Amino acid sequence: MVADKRVITLEEYTIQKQKDFPNATGDLSKLLRDIGLAAKIVNKQVNKAGLVDILGTTGGNNLHGDEVKKLDIFANEEFISSLTHGGQCCGIASEENEEFIVINDEISRNAKYVVSIDPLDGSSNIDVNVSIGTIFSIYRRLSFSGSCVLEDFLQKGTQQVAAGYIIYGSSTMMVYTTGYGVNGFTLDPSIGEFCLSHPDIKTPESGKMYSINQGNFVNFEEGIRNYIRYCEGREEKDQEPYSLRYIGSMVADFHRNLINGGIFIYPKTKSRPKGKLRLLYECNPLSFVAEQAGGKASNGFKRILEIEPLELHQRTPILIGSKSMVEKAEEFIAAGTEAEVS
Ligand code: P6P
């Protein structure tokens, strides 16, 4: 019998998987499809960014002082619109908005999910045609009904119901987990559907690539500097040097390491003592995906998913990727910390 080569779309997949959960209402499936819809619309603009007047900046800066690119704003508005009209989400925390957004229409007001999102991460790469991405995290609300509240967003990463990212690269992919493994869907522009292309992704136990902004070397703690020296083959004679790959777009670096093996590190520095990357809508979602694919994610001392969020835009240092590489880096950090203390 000829194997069934028919593609499975994101919509079909979410419906199929829903059958595995008798109590499933279909709300999460619809929410994931709402995210997929916004991703397709953003993808269309990203792919022609050089041709229309959405390149360049708005001339403004976001609340974190980062220069805001027009595509940032477009992506933020698109995801907010899709989530608002989808009716499955009662609130949104976005990297582009200082406060969380309450979705208060009669359908969404009592929806059971909230979403934290970085609508377009790595946007400094937009004008130079480097891959960028969207990162999202979905939680069940803690408040019972009516308008969502801050506590609905300030939940540990272990409480995520689903999380994932879209990478707008040589192809556009949506990769996500609901806690039962990781699956990747590639956008087929000819039919306008995300199609299952990478079922049950498992990240290699180790790898030969490390991703870090080595330009900050002098500002890193000793343990990180020693781990970099190890990656360069200087620490142990039988250690083959790794390759340094740093795109400056977390989703792109993370995705490459997820598939091929590797480690991404954004540690604390003298100027950023809490790190740069955001816990709620960058580190928690990618850490959920990493762990579900057999990898690891920590702040050097503690599992990212166990960090208690205290504010929406909280930053954290992060080491994420192949399990044995993260553990090796943690050993260097621990040794470096001991040396500093002694
Ligand atoms: P740096 C992009 O601005 C971002 O948030 C991540 O996507 C990326 O990994 C990191 O910052 C790059 O930061 O300080 O190395 O330019």
Side-chain angles (χ1 to χ4, degrees):
M1 184 178 81
V2 176
D4 180 0
K5 291 289 185 198
R6 186 179 178 287
V7 294
I8 299 175
T9 67
L10 173 65
E11 183 143 9
E12 288 167 335
Y13 184 83
T14 53
I15 292 167
Q16 272 179 21
K17 282 298 165 189
Q18 199 180 301
K19 290 174 190 152
D20 298 345
F21 302 91
N23 301 327
T25 60
D27 293 353
L28 180 59
S29 300
K30 290 180 198 134
L31 182 50
L32 287 165
R33 293 200 298 268
D34 293 340
I35 290 171
L37 172 62
K40 286 190 273 193
I41 295 169
V42 169
N43 175 67
K44 203 159 147 261
Q45 293 299 96
V46 166
N47 281 350
K48 62 180 184 181
L51 299 174
V52 293
D53 182 25
I54 51 173
L55 273 186
T57 69
T58 61
N61 286 0
N62 67 16
L63 54 109
H64 316 298
D66 299 333
E67 186 181 60
V68 179
K69 302 268 179 188
K70 290 179 182 175
L71 210 47
D72 274 348
I73 299 297
F74 173 83
N76 193 42
E77 289 167 357
E78 199 47 55
F79 277 98
I80 291 170
S81 168
S82 182
L83 290 169
T84 300
H85 293 98
Q88 306 306 323
C89 157
C90 63
I92 304 168
S94 169
E95 198 253 2
E96 297 292 342
N97 297 71
E98 184 155 6
E99 304 299 334
F100 63 91
I101 298 159
V102 177
I103 305 174
N104 231 345
D105 66 70
E106 58 193 72
I107 297 176
S108 304
R109 180 178 306 131
N110 296 314
K112 63 180 134 183
Y113 297 115
V114 294
V115 176
S116 291
I117 190 165
D118 185 351
L120 208 58
D121 179 71
S123 52
S124 56
N125 292 301
I126 294 172
D127 290 2
V128 292
N129 214 16
V130 169
S131 300
I132 50 184
T134 298
I135 312 170
F136 63 90
S137 175
I138 300 171
Y139 288 89
R140 215 171 263 104
R141 68 185 297 177
L142 298 177
S143 53
F144 291 105
S145 62
S147 302
C148 62
V149 295
L150 181 60
E151 285 64 33
D152 291 323
F153 297 93
L154 300 184
Q155 299 183 57
K156 280 184 180 179
T158 48
Q159 301 306 108
Q160 292 175 100
V161 173
Y165 59 91
I166 296 97
I167 178 168
Y168 309 98
S170 46
S171 65
T172 294
M173 275 188 74
M174 180 165 164
V175 178
Y176 76 87
T177 181
T178 59
Y180 297 90
V182 178
N183 291 288
F185 298 79
T186 299
L187 182 63
D188 180 342
S190 68
I191 58 173
E193 293 287 357
F194 280 105
C195 301
L196 183 62
S197 55
H198 296 67
D200 196 21
I201 296 174
K202 291 296 175 202
T203 195
E205 163 75 12
S206 190
K208 294 289 185 194
M209 285 187 181
Y210 69 109
S211 307
I212 191 168
N213 184 342
Q214 204 147 322
N216 289 329
F217 186 87
V218 296
N219 295 317
F220 291 148
E221 64 188 285
E222 189 57 20
I224 292 288
R225 289 202 293 261
N226 289 335
Y227 180 65
I228 290 173
R229 293 184 185 107
Y230 169 82
C231 293
E232 293 171 328
R234 298 180 203 220
E235 284 288 311
E236 292 175 15
K237 60 179 174 26
D238 58 355
Q239 163 62 25
E240 275 303 304
Y242 292 160
S243 294
L244 172 58
R245 290 282 186 284
Y246 191 70
I247 299 173
S249 178
M250 186 182 192
V251 169
D253 280 315
F254 175 81
H255 183 71
R256 184 203 54 247
N257 292 342
L258 181 76
I259 303 299
N260 291 345
I263 184 171
F264 173 94
I265 304 174
Y266 206 108
K268 66 182 181 184
T269 63
K270 288 170 189 156
S271 59
R272 293 183 184 274
K274 293 184 177 175
K276 174 184 183 183
L277 301 171
R278 311 295 178 164
L279 177 61
L280 258 60
Y281 41 77
E282 291 172 333
C283 297
N284 268 341
L286 294 184
S287 297
F288 191 17
V289 170
E291 289 196 2
Q292 284 290 311
K296 187 167 184 180
S298 82
N299 64 3
F301 303 94
K302 181 176 187 177
R303 195 178 165 214
I304 290 286
L305 297 185
E306 290 289 354
I307 296 174
E308 194 72 45
L310 302 174
E311 55 185 36
L312 284 184
H313 303 289
Q314 182 169 327
R315 299 176 193 266
T316 177
I318 184 167
L319 299 81
I320 186 170
S322 294
K323 192 165 183 291
S324 65
M325 298 179 84
V326 172
E327 289 171 346
K328 189 72 174 174
E330 288 171 335
E331 288 171 21
F332 275 96
I333 292 172
T337 307
E338 273 169 37
E340 279 167 356
V341 167
S342 58

